[in-house]
Amino acid sequence: MASNIRVLMLAIVMLFVGLVPAAASAATIDLRRSACVATLPDPATPADVTAARYDCGADAPSRGSEWTWLKLDATRLATLPAHWDLLVDQTRFERISVIVVGRAGTTRLDRTAHELRGHWAPGGLLKFNIAQPGRDIRGLYLGYRRIDDLSLMRKVVAQPGAVMTGTDIAWLVLMGVFAGTLLSALLYNLVIHTGQRYAFQRWYMLWVGVALVYGLTWSNVAALLIPDLVGPVAVRLDFALVGLMVAACNMFFFEVIEDGILPPGLAWFGRLLAAAGVVTGIAAAADTWLPPVLTDRLLNYVIAAMVAVVAISCVIAVRRGSRVIWFYMLGWGPVIALFLARLARNLGLAPQSDAIDMATFAALAFEALVLSLAIADRFRLIRQQLEDARQRREIDLAETNALRLAAHTDFLTGLGNRTAFQEQAQDWMDRNTTFSLFLIDVDYLKDVNDRLGHASGDALLRHVGSALADATERCPDAHVARIGGDEFAVLCRGTTAAEAALADTLATLQGAVWQPGERNRTLSLSFGSARYPDDARALDMLYQNADLALYTAKRFGRGRYVRYDPLQRSLRDLQIAFTDDAEDAIRDGEFALYLQPMVALESGAVCGHEALLRWNHPDHGLLTPDRFADVLVAERIGLRIQEHVLELALSLLRDWGEQIGVLSVNFTSAQLAGPRSARAVLDRLAYHGIPPTRLCVEVTEGVMLDRAADTILTNLRILHDAGVGIALDDFGTGYASLVHLRRLPVDRIKIDLSFVAGIDQAEGGTLAIVHAIVGLGVGLGKVVVAEGIETEAQAMQLRELGCHLGQGYLYGRPEPRVAIAGTPAWALTPPQSPGARTQRDVAGHALPPAEPAIAL
């Protein structure tokens, strides 16, 4: 098999590079394009043929009731020596005739459909040797009695005569590799699994056998063994074989795909099309009784429908995690591409080419090899399933109480399930036994399921379960259970020292290598623990506390261990209270915007402000976003708060725009992820009568790395094109700032305050980093803003580096009101009711009233 693959790939490379056909094509003369056509009754003498009226181009008939004659351009034959070859495409007819009018007189060669032995050439052609040299020929005519249709002919060419041309050698080499590959695949599948054969294997063997016969027949190589299998006999057999071959491949696909992957209706329709392919193939071969053009087209349309159904099935199979589908698509892709090329050629949409036909058989051989791999993988899965079933049966037989085992065992990992975990924990509590509860989450399990399939996800869960069981061997009376999809629990009896020892042992599992199939991946687990009775005396509360610790571990970046601390409970309760209070806060106007000025470093003039959210909580006082933002953004109320912030900012711009200048507002990914997010912002700007240039949207790199990054980028471009400024906040602290500068329509980059704070330090400072960022921004034509300026020394350094704008305590702290020239200080208040006037979008259409809205 391996040697055949190497030979096949070499043949494909030679084919597409064109090493072999190039030598032969230079002396080949194409006579098909310039041929004119006449139809004559039977019998037709040479005089009748030469004197007949011939039509050319679109007016030429495609067939006659008796004889159909092609007048070939003899003037193009002058360079051909004596005994040159006339090569014509194999088609269906009763008799073929070649008339040569030359200086030495007129000669005629007649053959019936059954008298073509010795007149074949590799590549599905008939060959007739003409004795007179091309310069002596005055007329050349090719006639068919009762031909199927001239539109089904690929070519008529003339070339110097030779026992074996370069093209012939290319065909013979290719078909030798083709036959060897398919025979190897057939023998391989005859040997493996010699017992009861599965349906997909039987269909595959049928497909390989039919494809082998089809290839040898179509290319005329079969004539080496059966000399009479040429001409119309071979063509009719080819039509029947191609219908059967495509049908067998179609049936193989629907049998080899894992059970439950495809909808039953789709599979039923695919099998129906396979049967239609067999019928239309036989119909296309029966040109004596049925219209040849119609049946040929019908066969092509049925095959196209099969391709469409299989393509849809492939998409579904990929989305549902099929393993076999990747092998099938790998083998099927080149065949489909070449089938479409052949279909375009057969329908007259593309020119004739030997390369298409040669590549087709190379692709069929490649498909046979890949589908053999698919069968081998399918057998591996079946053996694995049988082995799993055998192990389960042995476990069931070994257990004295099968019902209790089933009720307390996780079916996937063989560990205890949630019921076993709860009973064991409650039993220890009833006996007042001191123990620790560890909750373990498998990180990134969804990514494994999405990328590698659910079979790999299940393998990962089994691997984790086995690793946890091994890690708890040193803990007395430890119990491991899988209590959820990706969640495990470990109960460990003993002192706090035993708990710490188990935590250290579990930590060694981080980064361990596991192997899904042929690829290595590293393990990442999040741990949280709580202890009875120190942390809780009830099972539900103990579980909640351990879960809080687990949640904290995942929030800190996953892949770590956190023990429960009462502070976590207090923070969680506070978060829940904040979520409950947020609705009332919007209604009661507790959210307000504080403004911090941005100044031009050269002149010191205020040229804009950044809007910063504050929550004037009735119980906890004035809160900054770091106290509540993470909680509220994760909840459903978060988006409403973001919309409310935007509405507050736009109200300020509407009432105090000239004094505020450009107002920068922080946007989150949720605020930009909707398909109409940008349009909604522009509609609100138009409603308030604010020019888009007065608003600047600030986003962090975290927003760009969101799952909806493509939609977010589109919305930012729409806003930028409308005139809204775009600022990249906290520049330099993320992973892909340069990439974002290239992809995003960024107007400003804001240097993070962590860099500005160290700019005036002699050692370990950040002057070089800030210098590089400013130089990059200036070079790209961006406005560079420095955050967190607190001293005049920092401001002077930034001015010398060429930084444009500055922001920080040196110029002003965030305040709830701004001194406006000649105007008393004003408070930032919630916007007026939108019912006061009709809202309209940028096109002037009326909009429904908007709720008070928000952005953290």
Side-chain angles (χ1 to χ4, degrees):
M1 294 286 287
S3 61
N4 283 332
I5 293 177
R6 290 194 295 269
V7 174
L8 175 61
M9 296 306 297
L10 178 61
I12 293 175
V13 170
M14 293 178 63
L15 173 64
F16 283 103
V17 172
L19 296 177
V20 175
S25 60
T28 299
I29 301 171
D30 182 8
L31 302 175
R32 179 70 179 89
R33 294 174 180 267
S34 60
C36 299
V37 183
T39 59
L40 297 175
D42 191 19
T45 65
D48 297 331
V49 173
T50 56
R53 177 179 175 273
Y54 287 85
D55 295 315
C56 306
D59 297 331
S62 61
R63 62 175 295 179
S65 58
E66 293 294 338
W67 278 92
T68 303
W69 287 92
L70 283 78
K71 182 179 181 181
L72 306 179
D73 187 359
T75 61
R76 304 181 61 189
L77 307 176
T79 60
L80 294 177
H83 297 286
W84 55 272
D85 291 331
L86 177 66
L87 300 175
V88 300
D89 189 28
Q90 289 194 136
T91 185
R92 292 167 292 189
F93 51 82
E94 287 186 3
R95 180 180 290 273
I96 186 172
S97 181
V98 178
I99 295 178
V100 180
V101 179
R103 291 182 179 181
T106 300
T107 59
R108 178 169 182 168
L109 174 66
D110 278 294
R111 294 290 186 273
T112 67
H114 303 287
E115 297 174 346
L116 296 173
R117 175 183 294 198
H119 286 286
W120 61 271
L125 300 173
L126 295 177
K127 178 173 66 175
F128 301 95
N129 188 263
I130 308 300
Q132 298 186 51
R135 63 179 179 273
D136 294 340
I137 296 176
R138 300 293 178 265
L140 181 63
Y141 301 88
L142 175 65
Y144 295 93
R145 187 175 187 273
R146 294 182 180 175
I147 189 175
D148 51 7
D149 201 276
L150 291 177
S151 64
L152 302 180
M153 291 184 63
R154 289 181 300 134
K155 63 181 181 180
V156 178
V157 299
Q159 65 182 29
V163 176
M164 191 68 67
T165 65
T167 302
D168 294 342
I169 295 173
W171 270 108
L172 292 177
V173 170
L174 175 62
M175 295 314 297
V177 174
F178 171 81
T181 302
L182 267 65
L183 283 173
S184 297
L186 188 62
L187 293 174
Y188 172 71
N189 280 272
L190 284 172
V191 172
I192 65 170
H193 204 75
T194 55
Q196 180 182 2
R197 300 192 185 279
Y198 291 93
F200 62 81
Q201 190 182 15
R202 293 195 297 269
W203 283 114
Y204 172 77
M205 294 173 66
L206 175 62
W207 175 82
V208 170
V210 174
L212 177 61
V213 176
Y214 169 73
L216 297 178
T217 303
W218 190 95
S219 63
N220 278 341
V221 176
L224 292 171
L225 300 176
I226 308 176
D228 291 327
L229 190 58
V230 294
V233 177
V235 174
R236 293 186 177 97
L237 180 59
D238 287 339
F239 275 105
L241 289 174
V242 76
L244 181 59
M245 179 179 64
V246 176
C249 189
N250 211 43
M251 292 298 296
F252 166 77
F253 170 78
F254 289 105
E255 292 294 342
V256 78
I257 294 297
E258 299 92 333
D259 293 339
I261 293 291
L262 298 178
L266 185 64
W268 177 86
F269 185 63
R271 292 182 175 93
L272 181 63
L273 283 176
V278 176
V279 173
T280 52
I282 296 173
D287 61 293
T288 306
W289 302 281
L290 299 174
V293 176
L294 175 63
T295 54
D296 178 77
R297 295 291 188 269
L298 186 60
L299 175 60
N300 281 280
Y301 295 148
V302 170
I303 296 175
M306 291 185 194
V307 172
V309 170
V310 172
I312 294 172
S313 302
C314 288
V315 173
I316 295 174
V318 169
R319 297 184 63 180
R320 294 187 176 182
S322 170
R323 285 173 48 87
V324 178
I325 190 61
W326 298 107
F327 290 103
Y328 192 87
M329 290 194 300
L330 176 64
W332 207 51
V335 177
I336 292 302
L338 290 166
F339 161 75
L340 294 176
R342 293 190 73 178
L343 180 62
R345 184 194 66 188
N346 294 344
L347 296 178
L349 304 177
Q352 304 293 343
S353 174
D354 279 338
I356 294 178
D357 296 314
M358 299 177 81
T360 298
F361 293 106
L364 285 174
F366 178 72
E367 182 181 18
L369 291 176
V370 174
L371 294 187
S372 290
L373 297 177
I375 288 178
D377 184 73
R378 191 74 165 91
F379 277 137
R380 188 190 65 79
L381 292 176
I382 290 172
R383 285 194 295 269
Q384 180 180 345
Q385 293 168 0
L386 293 175
E387 179 63 19
D388 292 342
R390 183 187 64 80
Q391 292 178 358
R392 286 195 297 269
R393 286 195 301 269
E394 290 180 356
I395 293 173
D396 290 342
L397 292 174
E399 289 290 338
T400 59
N401 190 346
L403 292 177
R404 179 172 177 79
L405 177 66
H408 291 76
T409 303
D410 174 57
F411 73 95
L412 182 62
T413 63
L415 301 173
N417 58 14
R418 180 177 288 273
T419 301
F421 152 74
Q422 290 176 335
E423 288 186 1
Q424 183 61 61
Q426 192 61 54
D427 178 63
W428 282 355
M429 285 184 171
D430 293 342
R431 292 187 289 168
N432 201 26
T433 302
T434 301
F435 67 93
S436 299
L437 166 61
F438 285 80
L439 293 182
I440 302 102
D441 252 11
V442 181
D443 298 330
Y444 313 111
L445 177 62
K446 185 179 185 301
D447 291 342
V448 173
N449 286 331
D450 292 344
R451 296 181 181 182
L452 305 180
H454 287 276
S456 294
D458 291 344
L460 172 58
L461 291 174
R462 287 192 292 269
H463 176 79
V464 171
S466 176
L468 291 175
D470 294 340
T472 56
E473 288 182 350
R474 297 182 181 180
C475 184
D477 295 331
H479 290 266
V480 183
R482 176 174 173 245
I483 59 176
D486 61 349
E487 190 173 6
F488 293 81
V490 177
L491 295 171
C492 178
R493 189 175 64 178
T495 64
T496 54
E499 177 183 347
L502 178 58
D504 292 339
T505 303
L506 294 177
T508 62
L509 300 180
Q510 300 287 7
V513 176
W514 70 286
Q515 189 173 29
E518 299 179 354
R519 304 177 64 181
N520 292 334
R521 296 198 174 252
T522 57
L523 199 61
S524 176
L525 303 173
S526 297
F527 302 89
S529 72
R531 185 170 177 76
Y532 172 84
D534 301 345
D535 299 322
R537 288 187 169 273
L539 179 58
D540 288 345
M541 184 57 65
L542 182 68
Y543 180 87
Q544 290 180 25
N545 290 342
D547 193 53
L548 273 176
L550 174 62
Y551 170 78
T552 304
K554 295 178 77 70
R555 188 163 59 89
F556 285 164
R558 305 184 186 183
R560 65 191 66 224
Y561 165 66
V562 173
R563 198 196 181 285
Y564 170 72
D565 188 294
L567 181 60
Q568 297 169 4
R569 169 63 59 186
S570 301
L571 291 175
R572 182 58 179 168
D573 293 342
L574 183 60
Q575 292 170 352
I576 295 174
F578 279 162
T579 303
D580 295 337
D581 293 343
E583 287 282 0
D584 296 336
I586 296 175
R587 185 186 65 247
D588 299 337
E590 295 174 7
F591 290 108
L593 292 183
Y594 279 38
L595 301 186
Q596 186 175 31
M598 295 184 186
V599 303
L601 292 178
E602 284 293 333
S603 64
V606 176
C607 55
H609 294 80
E610 180 177 0
L612 302 171
L613 182 64
R614 298 293 184 266
W615 184 356
N616 190 13
H617 197 282
D619 298 326
H620 302 285
L622 191 66
L623 302 176
T624 55
D626 60 327
R627 296 281 303 278
F628 61 84
D630 289 344
V631 180
L632 298 185
V633 168
E635 303 292 340
R636 185 175 58 182
I637 187 66
L639 184 57
R640 291 197 58 217
I641 296 177
Q642 295 159 18
E643 293 170 351
H644 183 57
V645 167
L646 178 61
E647 197 68 21
L648 289 175
L650 295 182
S651 297
L652 290 176
L653 282 174
R654 179 193 63 206
D655 298 335
W656 306 95
E658 294 300 327
Q659 291 79 7
I660 294 175
V662 176
L663 183 60
S664 297
V665 180
N666 292 285
F667 273 54
T668 65
S669 57
Q671 204 170 358
L672 293 167
R676 296 195 72 258
S677 297
R679 181 53 55 189
V681 174
L682 296 177
D683 288 346
R684 300 309 299 162
L685 284 167
Y687 165 68
H688 287 289
I690 302 169
T693 54
R694 305 303 291 273
L695 177 66
C696 180
V697 172
E698 291 195 7
V699 294
T700 64
E701 292 186 32
V703 173
M704 248 57 65
L705 296 176
D706 188 85
R707 291 185 178 182
D710 292 339
T711 304
I712 291 172
L713 179 59
T714 300
N715 284 319
L716 288 175
R717 284 176 175 158
I718 293 174
L719 291 173
H720 180 269
D721 293 342
V724 176
I726 307 297
L728 186 58
D729 201 5
D730 299 336
F731 184 82
T733 62
Y735 296 102
S737 297
L738 296 180
V739 175
H740 295 152
L741 283 180
R742 180 175 59 84
R743 296 180 60 216
L744 285 175
V746 174
D747 302 298
R748 300 182 178 186
I749 57 175
K750 301 189 71 175
I751 305 174
D752 188 71
L753 56 85
S754 63
F755 298 123
V756 175
I759 196 173
D760 53 356
Q761 297 177 9
E763 295 183 2
T766 56
L767 177 61
I769 297 176
V770 175
H771 190 185
I773 295 176
V774 173
L776 176 66
V778 172
L780 293 176
K782 313 296 183 184
V783 175
V784 183
V785 184
E787 297 182 295
I789 303 176
E790 298 185 359
T791 67
E792 182 59 40
Q794 293 172 345
M796 183 176 65
Q797 260 311 0
L798 290 166
R799 279 194 298 270
E800 291 176 355
L801 292 177
C803 185
H804 304 105
L805 304 180
Q807 178 183 350
Y809 290 169
L810 178 63
Y811 305 109
R813 294 175 177 270
E815 297 290 345
R817 58 184 68 235
V818 177
I820 300 177
T823 305
W826 46 268
L828 300 181
T829 58
Q832 64 182 12
S833 170
R837 52 175 155 168
T838 304
Q839 303 180 45
R840 297 184 179 275
D841 60 17
V842 294
H845 302 113
L847 293 172
E851 292 185 355
I854 302 192
L856 305 181

